[in-house]
Amino acid sequence: LQKSLKETFGADKYSRARKEVLTYMFSRPMQMALYFCTGVLDDETLFRHYALNVPFYTHFTSPIRRYADIVVHRLLSASLGVSSPIKMEKEDIQRQAEHCNDRKMASKRVQELSTDLFFSIFVRVR
């Protein structure tokens, strides 16, 4: 896929724009990662990371960025015995995860709409 895309980009003045548009279009359909509390899911195959081919997977970034990352850091720290357990029921953690997923989806949708608007204006001007 990468090789055929590279050939499609070309080497003219629009190649960089073509690369960005095509890369975006090919990555857009990929399934977005979702936060969930493992204690509420019975199917452990849902914990798997398909691309990395690992049975259990968690992801987080710096805890200064997002609330979900703070929760993951705290849960991981507690599970490793570094800090005291979190005083939240698994259903409460799941509600927090669903809220974070909702906000992330809304943010992604606004980003997509903004991209569509910019592209429409670009096409109209050109």
Side-chain angles (χ1 to χ4, degrees), residues 8-74:
T8 305
F9 298 153
D12 61 6
K13 66 180 182 177
Y14 297 111
S15 62
R16 183 172 177 212
R18 247 190 320 275
K19 178 183 178 183
E20 289 183 26
V21 168
L22 290 173
T23 301
Y24 173 74
M25 289 174 71
F26 277 104
S27 64
R28 190 174 183 178
M30 291 182 178
Q31 184 179 10
M32 199 154 125
L34 296 174
Y35 294 107
F36 62 90
C37 178
T38 58
V40 300
L41 298 179
D42 294 328
D43 185 1
E44 286 191 4
T45 62
L46 297 174
F47 307 166
R48 183 168 198 83
H49 190 288
Y50 178 79
L52 296 177
N53 193 28
V54 292
F56 296 101
Y57 177 81
T58 189
H59 170 81
F60 53 88
T61 59
S62 170
I64 64 170
R65 291 189 55 210
R66 297 181 297 220
Y67 177 72
D69 298 317
I70 293 171
V71 173
V72 172
H73 273 254
R74 289 177 182 167

Side-chain angles (χ1 to χ4, degrees), residues 93-124:
I93 295 170
Q94 180 61 27
R95 272 194 292 280
Q96 290 292 324
E98 289 170 1
H99 177 74
C100 289
N101 291 333
D102 290 343
R103 298 295 85 215
K104 187 167 65 166
M105 292 289 201
S107 173
K108 182 174 174 61
R109 183 69 182 133
V110 169
Q111 180 183 5
E112 289 170 353
L113 290 170
S114 172
T115 301
D116 292 346
L117 176 63
F118 175 79
F119 182 70
S120 298
I121 292 169
F122 175 78
V123 169
R124 190 173 78 189

